[in-house]
Amino acid sequence: ALLAPAKDAPLPLDAPEQRRAAAAALRAWITKGTPAAQQIARRRLLDELPEHATDADRAGDADIDAPARRVARASVLEKLHQNEQVSALLKDLVGKDCEASLLVGKAERKQRHYQAARLALAAAAQDRCGEVKKKAQYLEARVARVQGAAGADKLLTAFAKTHGSDPLVDDVLL
């Protein structure tokens, strides 16, 4: 049966054969579905299965480079441990988009590019970043400690003061 291109139907993350099959099913919807189904299937292929999208798929999508779409694709790539691709896709959004800054910081940390990770995480740790802020502060403090940075103790103490009752404080102070 064809995979329905419904917005909430989960796609496999860690099974390459299943991802390939899901991409094939979405392509069937793109070629044979109603116009609305084609649009949903194309967007899901581009955003949730980016490794299976072709240049021809991308050419037909006017807002593929919108920041929210790029963040959506990068979120999938991060779960697939494609850290270099995450950084390349979002590096120009660091400081402009909180979620993009966090994703780049995490990707750079995993590649052991600690200075670049700290810069991106600091951009995501700003007050305007809401829910992303705490995650970014936590990771920035951890990276600073791993890096042996001069300001690491200050970051660790600030995180502990700001989020005193949070379970992450124990992790930061280890």
Side-chain angles (χ1 to χ4, degrees):
L2 287 177
L3 175 70
K7 283 185 177 182
D8 58 351
L11 293 176
L13 270 179
D14 58 357
E17 288 302 319
Q18 290 177 354
R19 289 182 67 76
R20 201 171 354 273
L26 288 171
R27 286 192 185 288
W29 277 98
I30 291 168
T31 58
K32 297 177 184 174
T34 65
Q38 289 175 353
Q39 183 178 5
I40 291 169
R42 179 174 280 110
R43 184 167 284 229
R44 291 203 71 194
L45 176 66
L46 292 170
D47 292 349
E48 297 177 56
L49 299 166
E51 73 275 21
H52 295 286
T54 65
D55 289 340
D57 296 325
R58 290 179 200 86
D61 194 331
D63 70 338
I64 192 164
D65 288 325
R69 296 280 306 280
R70 289 167 56 194
V71 168
R73 283 195 306 282
S75 294
V76 172
L77 292 169
E78 181 212 11
K79 290 172 185 154
L80 296 171
H81 307 288
Q82 302 296 317
N83 298 306
E84 289 178 12
Q85 291 179 18
V86 171
S87 294
L89 185 61
L90 299 178
K91 66 183 171 188
D92 64 315
L93 295 178
V94 171
K96 299 174 189 169
D97 183 284
C98 297
E99 188 68 29
S101 298
L102 179 65
L103 286 167
V104 170
K106 290 166 71 175
E108 293 294 340
R109 177 184 64 115
K110 290 176 185 175
Q111 296 174 80
R112 295 189 174 111
H113 302 156
Y114 297 124
Q115 189 60 33
R118 286 192 58 206
L119 291 172
L121 292 167
Q126 302 301 311
D127 286 335
R128 66 181 173 77
C129 290
E131 291 179 28
V132 169
K133 178 182 175 181
K134 182 170 73 170
K135 291 177 192 174
Q137 288 175 325
Y138 166 75
L139 289 172
E140 183 184 12
R142 295 291 302 218
V143 169
R145 173 167 274 176
V146 167
Q147 189 183 27
D153 289 340
K154 184 178 176 181
L155 286 172
L156 297 167
T157 303
F159 186 86
K161 279 185 179 179
T162 305
H163 306 287
S165 62
D166 193 291
L168 291 175
V169 170
D170 292 339
D171 290 343
V172 167
L173 297 176
L174 288 177

